[in-house]
Amino acid sequence: MKTVAIYSSKGGVGKTATAVNLAYTAAASGKRVLLCDMDSQGAASYYFRIRAKKKFNSQKLLAGDFVKYIRGTDFINLDLLPAHFSFRNLDLALNSLGEKERRMALAKLLKPLDEDYEILILDCPPNLTLLSENIIEASDVLVCPVIPTTLSLIALEQLLKLFGKLEADKGKILAFFSMVERRKSMHTTVMEKYRKYPLFLKSAIPFLAEIEKMGISRLPVGAVIKQSPAAQEYTRLWQEIWKRSKTL
Ligand SMILES: Nc1ncnc2c1ncn2[C@@H]1O[C@H](COP(=O)(O)OP(=O)(O)OP(=O)(O)O)[C@@H](O)[C@H]1O
Ligand SMILES: [Mg+2]
């Protein structure tokens, strides 16, 4: 099982759009996929029209009592662990664990899913907290969407810094340019400057109205029009991530 976290400490960079579409693409390629919505805002769950059961909460998640709350989606091979509003307290709950366990808790929780899924995709909240440290420890690959602007790059730098602090393997960070608007000179300048770094993937996701409209369709872009430009871009991105993940 490969665990792929879609992570950035910056909000609104396209994490959820990426997590939803990559999960859909990976499942469509025949792999058994579980998308875990780790963000209490529940945006990924919303896109799949799934709400967590009232009985589910962050305490149950941390106690390992969550498998029964996993739901099937409308798509073959793709299941979802919905977010619950109480996930906003995940950091507090993690903090109350013993020093040794507190950073590895999520990794330990996700491990048993190994038998049922080939790929886990985590849609992460925009944090730089103990939950982020858990996400780093639990993931084989961290995919960081970067809008080609200064603030998004700062979030990537912060992530590299956190990896340094944790003495984690920076090789598992993969960044890609998100919401790219080629008519904006700042976007093209930033991309030219940074794309030479091996941590940047060659694939980039343009700013496209079809992706923006997911809030209305509540479907992954490939489920609206199979071969649409956006669906093709996410397929390309997924193929590159999958290929790179095998070398990690
Ligand atoms: N490539 C894109 N083209 C156009 N719109 C996009 C694109 N990617 C994301 N969006 C839109 O931008 C908004 C923010 O995207 P998204 O929710 O995926 O970001 P996020 O990083 O998950 O945000 P948060 O940090 O709040 O969880 C959404 O309305 C989404 O539909
Ligand atoms: Mg999000």
Side-chain angles (χ1 to χ4, degrees):
M1 181 176 78
K2 284 268 184 213
T3 302
V4 180
I6 316 298
Y7 174 85
S8 169
S9 58
K10 179 138 177 55
V13 294
K15 293 181 292 297
T16 302
T18 305
V20 164
N21 287 301
L22 293 187
Y24 174 83
T25 303
S29 77
K31 301 267 190 293
R32 289 276 307 147
V33 180
L34 176 68
L35 173 60
C36 300
D37 189 352
M38 304 304 300
D39 187 350
S40 62
Q41 295 180 84
S45 312
Y46 175 84
Y47 283 133
F48 286 102
R49 303 159 190 256
I50 289 175
R51 239 194 258 171
K53 291 240 160 69
K54 282 210 180 97
K55 283 184 183 163
F56 186 39
N57 56 42
S58 56
Q59 291 301 336
K60 290 199 173 160
L61 176 74
L62 291 181
D65 179 22
F66 65 91
V67 175
K68 61 175 178 272
Y69 297 104
I70 291 175
R71 307 270 304 276
T73 66
D74 292 338
F75 307 103
I76 195 159
N77 294 327
L78 180 55
D79 290 349
L80 176 101
L81 177 68
H84 189 269
F85 191 53
S86 61
F87 283 13
R88 71 194 189 285
N89 300 322
L90 269 176
D91 266 299
L92 276 176
L94 287 167
N95 249 315
S96 68
L97 299 176
E99 200 177 333
K100 271 193 186 152
E101 306 157 281
R102 90 169 52 128
R103 203 197 288 163
M104 302 304 291
L106 185 66
K108 206 170 141 193
L109 286 171
L110 300 179
K111 185 89 190 58
L113 297 169
D114 200 21
E115 287 173 20
D116 295 315
Y117 298 99
E118 290 166 276
I119 298 166
L120 246 57
I121 296 199
L122 314 182
D123 182 30
C124 304
N127 285 343
L128 204 58
T129 61
L130 185 54
L131 177 60
S132 324
E133 295 184 19
N134 269 268
I135 286 163
I136 290 170
E137 298 291 355
S139 309
D140 299 297
V141 186
L142 242 98
V143 176
C144 184
V146 177
I147 301 175
T149 58
T150 325
L151 285 181
S152 260
L153 284 160
I154 290 174
L156 180 60
E157 273 169 27
Q158 286 172 338
L159 179 62
L160 287 161
K161 215 161 136 188
L162 181 58
F163 263 70
K165 186 192 130 200
L166 299 176
E167 294 178 2
D169 173 14
K170 288 182 185 155
K172 68 182 184 183
I173 305 176
L174 298 178
F176 74 92
F177 288 112
S178 173
M179 300 163 91
V180 174
E181 293 177 84
R182 290 191 191 272
R183 63 187 173 83
K184 287 189 176 166
S185 62
M186 184 173 187
H187 281 205
T188 46
T189 312
V190 168
M191 285 170 73
E192 237 147 68
K193 187 166 168 204
Y194 286 91
R195 65 165 21 130
K196 61 177 181 276
Y197 295 103
L199 121 165
F200 271 97
L201 295 164
K202 290 196 173 57
S203 318
I205 300 292
F207 188 95
L208 291 169
E210 324 167 43
I211 303 174
E212 216 174 9
K213 283 184 197 150
M214 280 172 62
I216 300 164
S217 68
R218 294 178 77 179
L219 288 169
V221 287
V224 179
I225 302 173
K226 201 165 177 237
Q227 290 297 334
S228 68
Q232 288 184 41
E233 297 286 3
Y234 281 117
T235 301
R236 215 168 294 148
L237 178 64
W238 173 247
Q239 285 168 347
E240 197 181 354
I241 291 168
W242 189 239
K243 202 167 158 195
R244 285 280 290 267
S245 78
K246 287 184 186 157
T247 65
L248 299 173

